[in-house]
Amino acid sequence: MSMEDILKVLVNSRQQGNSSSQSSDPMADLIGGLLGGQQPTQGANQQGGLGDMMGMLEMVMGGNQAGSMNQAAAGNDPLMMLLQPFVAQLAKKINVPPEIAMIVVSLVAHKLLSHHPTSGRDSNSFDLDDMLSQMNSGNINSNVLNQSGMIREVSQRTGMSEADSEKALSTALTMFGSQLGGRAVKSAKTSGAASAGKSLKSAGVRTGKGRK
């Protein structure tokens, strides 16, 4: 299992809606297997699985684990194993220490996963469908990063300037987007088209081909 698998489940959740009421939640299956090797069959355990991962990400974002991260820890901790490829790539791309890259990558993963129905976290900082499209194109809107508060948060957590924080966020989000390929844009377009279709129908507008 990789971070790509988790991101794909996140993208799929945009079309499936809130999965917490279902008997089997794909996200819970992934996270439960990752963190505890258990198969989450109870609804509470399903929510707890993603909640546990969010809590671990918050610890890393705070620097509690990132400051003492080493090769052995990265090899033994399942969450570190998921994030390590992104951390190494980001550190090399923007020339920062791995500890800084770990905080940035963890924050990006946290902000994205907050949009899953079972995360239990606030997901109003930005529109996920719009962000997924930007991630896939590799052109991250700096205004969105600024308005969401992510630039300020990275700057405060890492000590980097806001300009460097923006660069780090844009690079990390593009890296995550490359894992998804066209799935991000496809999901966003499908969601947008479905929403527009419902709006037109509710207004009594025909959505078929135009009259000749």
Side-chain angles (χ1 to χ4, degrees):
M1 184 184 65
S2 66
M3 196 67 199
E4 178 185 0
D5 298 319
I6 295 176
L7 291 172
K8 286 180 178 178
V9 171
L10 173 65
V11 171
N12 290 338
S13 74
R14 305 302 295 163
Q15 295 174 314
Q16 295 169 354
N18 194 321
S19 58
S20 59
S21 61
Q22 298 178 1
S23 59
S24 179
D25 174 15
M27 182 66 82
D29 293 340
L30 280 175
I31 303 301
L34 168 71
L35 299 182
Q38 303 292 329
Q39 293 185 355
T41 56
Q42 301 296 325
N45 288 339
Q46 291 175 4
Q47 283 198 333
L50 182 55
D52 288 345
M53 182 172 180
M54 301 296 281
M56 294 172 67
L57 287 170
E58 286 159 6
M59 288 180 62
V60 179
M61 288 159 52
N64 294 340
Q65 291 186 17
S68 59
M69 186 186 69
N70 54 44
Q71 191 69 28
N76 295 329
D77 189 299
L79 181 60
M80 297 300 110
M81 291 176 65
L82 276 184
L83 300 179
Q84 190 58 35
F86 296 95
V87 171
Q89 187 177 354
L90 180 64
K92 183 177 180 180
K93 279 180 175 292
I94 63 174
N95 193 28
V96 297
E99 293 82 5
I100 297 295
M102 175 62 78
I103 293 174
V104 176
V105 168
S106 298
L107 187 142
V108 167
H110 184 276
K111 296 299 183 183
L112 292 173
L113 290 173
S114 292
H115 289 79
H116 191 271
T118 64
S119 72
R121 301 304 195 274
D122 178 18
S123 61
N124 296 320
S125 56
F126 58 82
D127 181 87
L128 180 61
D129 292 331
D130 179 51
M131 180 62 77
L132 289 171
S133 294
Q134 293 181 40
M135 288 164 58
N136 187 79
S137 69
N139 185 19
I140 308 299
N141 189 327
S142 61
N143 289 330
V144 173
L145 296 180
N146 188 49
Q147 292 169 5
S148 70
M150 292 173 68
I151 292 177
R152 182 173 61 255
E153 186 171 355
V154 167
S155 179
Q156 291 174 344
R157 292 181 183 277
T158 64
M160 291 193 297
S161 68
E162 292 199 352
D164 288 340
S165 296
E166 178 186 334
K167 179 181 178 181
L169 281 168
S170 296
T171 304
L173 284 163
T174 301
M175 284 162 44
F176 276 95
S178 68
Q179 290 288 306
L180 290 168
R183 294 176 65 95
V185 164
K186 182 179 180 181
S187 173
K189 286 184 176 180
T190 301
S191 301
S195 176
K198 289 180 181 178
S199 298
L200 288 172
K201 287 182 180 179
S202 64
V205 178
R206 296 181 63 183
T207 58
K209 294 181 178 179
R211 286 175 291 183
K212 295 182 181 178

